[in-house]
Amino acid sequence: MATLGEIGSYLNGRGFKKSEWRESGRPIIRIQNLTGSGGEFNYYAGEAEERHIVRDGDLLVSWAATLGVFLWHGPEAVLNQHIFKVDSRIDPAFHRWLLEYTLASLQDRTHGSGMVHITKGNFDSTPVQLPPLAEQGRIVAAIEEHLSRLDAAETALTRAEHRVRVLDRVRVRQAFEAGGWPWTTLGEIAEIKGGVTKDSKRQSDASFVEVPYLRVANVQRGRLDLSDVTTIHVHPDKAEALRLEPGDVLLNEGGDRDKLGRGWVWEGQVSDCIHQNHVFRARLNDAFDPYFVSTHANTWGRAWFEAHGKQTTNLASINLGTLKQLPIPAPPRSEQQAIMGALQEAGDVKTRVLEVIDHARLRARVLRRSILAAAFSGQLVPQDPTDEPASVLLDRIRAERAAAEPTKRTRRAARSQARPAGV
């Protein structure tokens, strides 16, 4: 048995202030750059201590916000705080896999409510089992052989998921393009209304009634999110005029450009519900199926909205006049419903296939964990009695650390003796 602190040193980065960021220099490695959630790098052009410099192949451990192990592959960089650079005293590749396995068990030892982290003391004192150095190499070879197969399987699953989603989009697009039908516009087949504008000054008006209302966040593409429906006070006439009815097609006015016109069909889930001014309501005539029109708007119509929406500095939008011009295919209603039935059936197949893919991914994660568990309990590779015992390796590591300590104390003592009296 050993501890993480005995088998390596973990050098923390430093906090680079925004005032130090530059457009060129060494990249500053932050946690989000390692996890893929941080976008572009910032750069540091000043002098850096050796312990903060990261080079290609260095092993890094994020110990705050996200506990993770990463191999740096990139140019020479500098390390931000909340990340350790690992100085290993054992087989570095074995050390990497041991850390990945061990960090999963450290989740219950983290601290903090905003940004969880593990303290350096808890990290260093974490117990681990240490095999002989020669066996470490055999374990690494076995781990990488097994995980390379899992990686190939997970890559195949990702390709399969992508193909399923592409085929689904193609199928939907073809369903609306293959009929040779006449076309009309949304304004010709529906009464379209904008919703209520919230007037905070009149929310206490005694003559107003309180009703639930849909915001942009409630109206998603192909679905309604009704987990948080708020209320508003409006005049009774306004509540009556804007009350949603089952079969109304809802379409968002604006937001990001790729969200223009997104929406779905109201099915009467909330009584007396109205809609805000950033959500349009289209009430169709009897010749059109609302699910057919809404699916068309969310698929074929998506590119049309992006092409015809207006763009301001931060937002894109469509006005009532533009929305009325949305082209709509006009097959007989019975054919519309047949198309929706076929798409629903195909969608059910897509859902089942994606569930199988998700289950396979979950199984791959379980297998990965099982492989590492076997590796670090001595069950993955045969042990060789001729290997130098791990205890000898650990004694050597401890001796090397002990030999380095007096040097540090001597330097501190020398500095102390060199100080003038009274300082």
Side-chain angles (χ1 to χ4, degrees):
M1 295 300 297
T3 64
L4 287 180
E6 286 181 301
I7 64 174
S9 296
Y10 307 93
L11 311 174
N12 192 26
R14 83 167 180 87
F16 290 90
K17 301 176 183 177
K18 286 189 177 181
S19 60
E20 297 179 289
W21 295 357
R22 299 293 181 267
E23 294 184 0
S24 62
R26 292 187 178 105
I28 301 172
I29 303 174
R30 296 185 291 164
I31 291 176
Q32 51 263 53
N33 301 127
L34 296 175
T35 60
S37 61
E40 299 294 325
F41 283 96
N42 299 112
Y43 295 87
Y44 177 70
E47 294 294 323
E49 295 183 43
E50 177 62 29
R51 64 196 182 98
H52 296 144
I53 296 176
V54 178
R55 298 180 176 85
D56 188 64
D58 279 350
L59 182 60
L60 308 175
V61 177
S62 59
W63 55 269
T66 299
L67 297 185
V69 182
F70 308 89
L71 269 180
W72 175 249
H73 291 298
E76 188 174 288
V78 288
L79 196 62
N80 200 50
Q81 63 184 351
H82 304 141
I83 307 172
F84 293 138
K85 180 174 71 171
V86 180
D87 180 11
S88 182
R89 298 188 181 94
I90 61 173
D91 184 308
F94 178 85
H95 201 158
R96 171 204 173 182
W97 293 117
L98 178 62
L99 284 169
E100 183 167 319
Y101 175 71
T102 305
L103 282 185
S105 64
L106 293 181
Q107 296 290 344
D108 58 351
R109 297 177 67 186
T110 57
H111 302 266
S113 55
M115 184 172 71
V116 298
H117 63 279
I118 184 165
T119 65
K120 184 71 159 52
N122 268 339
F123 186 89
D124 281 345
S125 64
T126 300
V128 292
Q129 295 186 77
L130 187 67
L133 191 60
E135 188 176 340
Q136 293 175 28
R138 296 196 298 274
I139 289 172
V140 168
I143 288 175
E144 293 181 348
E145 180 183 356
H146 287 294
L147 294 189
S148 66
R149 295 182 188 136
L150 272 183
D151 289 343
E154 290 180 311
T155 298
L157 289 173
T158 299
R159 290 197 189 111
E161 179 184 13
H162 175 72
R163 183 167 178 78
V164 167
R165 296 190 185 280
V166 168
L167 288 174
D168 182 63
R169 290 194 294 269
V170 169
R171 180 172 52 249
V172 173
R173 187 181 70 244
Q174 289 176 342
F176 290 104
E177 293 177 346
W181 313 299
W183 285 63
T184 183
T185 63
L186 188 60
E188 289 290 329
I189 66 170
E191 174 203 18
I192 306 174
K193 274 193 174 183
V196 64
T197 301
K198 187 171 184 179
D199 186 349
S200 57
K201 295 179 180 178
R202 303 192 66 183
Q203 288 300 293
S204 59
D205 193 315
S207 66
F208 281 23
V209 294
E210 184 178 10
V211 293
Y213 80 116
L214 298 185
R215 299 162 293 132
V216 169
N218 300 123
V219 183
Q220 299 294 317
R221 193 175 299 282
R223 64 185 178 89
L224 299 179
D225 180 358
L226 304 179
S227 59
D228 182 20
V229 177
T230 59
T231 61
I232 189 171
H233 290 85
V234 296
H235 192 278
D237 292 344
K238 180 73 73 172
E240 179 66 27
L242 295 180
R243 183 181 293 117
L244 295 171
E245 296 181 3
D248 285 345
V249 175
L250 302 171
L251 303 105
N252 279 338
E253 173 198 35
D256 296 335
R257 201 163 190 83
D258 64 345
K259 295 178 176 61
L260 293 176
R262 78 177 184 190
W264 193 234
V265 180
W266 179 250
E267 297 173 338
Q269 297 96 320
V270 180
S271 299
D272 298 321
C273 193
I274 65 174
H275 53 108
Q276 73 166 175
N277 58 312
H278 297 303
V279 177
F280 290 112
R281 178 203 76 194
R283 188 163 292 163
L284 307 175
N285 64 39
D286 292 339
F288 285 84
D289 178 86
Y291 297 96
F292 177 84
V293 172
S294 188
T295 301
H296 168 73
N298 281 318
T299 53
W300 185 95
R302 183 172 179 173
W304 189 90
F305 286 125
E306 289 185 26
H308 293 81
K310 293 183 179 179
Q311 182 74 50
T312 61
T313 303
N314 297 317
L315 297 174
S317 64
I318 50 174
N319 57 34
L320 182 61
T322 300
L323 184 58
K324 287 182 176 181
Q325 298 304 311
L326 173 66
I328 302 289
R333 181 164 180 141
S334 60
E335 191 170 347
Q336 297 174 32
Q337 293 172 335
I339 289 169
M340 292 310 300
L343 289 178
Q344 180 63 53
E345 184 177 344
D348 291 342
V349 173
K350 178 196 77 171
T351 299
R352 290 196 295 272
V353 172
L354 292 178
E355 286 174 351
V356 169
I357 290 173
D358 285 342
H359 179 74
R361 281 203 179 107
L362 176 61
R363 179 166 173 76
R365 289 194 292 271
V366 172
L367 285 172
R368 183 184 183 91
R369 182 70 182 165
S370 298
I371 290 167
L372 294 180
F376 300 115
S377 60
Q379 301 174 50
L380 191 63
V381 299
Q383 297 178 352
D384 187 340
T386 65
D387 287 341
E388 177 189 77
S391 58
V392 175
L393 169 63
L394 195 54
D395 287 343
R396 188 162 59 245
I397 291 172
R398 289 167 176 161
E400 290 171 355
R401 293 189 64 178
E405 284 299 312
T407 302
K408 295 179 182 178
R409 287 196 295 271
T410 300
R411 288 176 180 171
R412 285 197 296 268
R415 284 196 299 269
S416 177
Q417 292 170 5
R419 290 175 183 166
V423 177

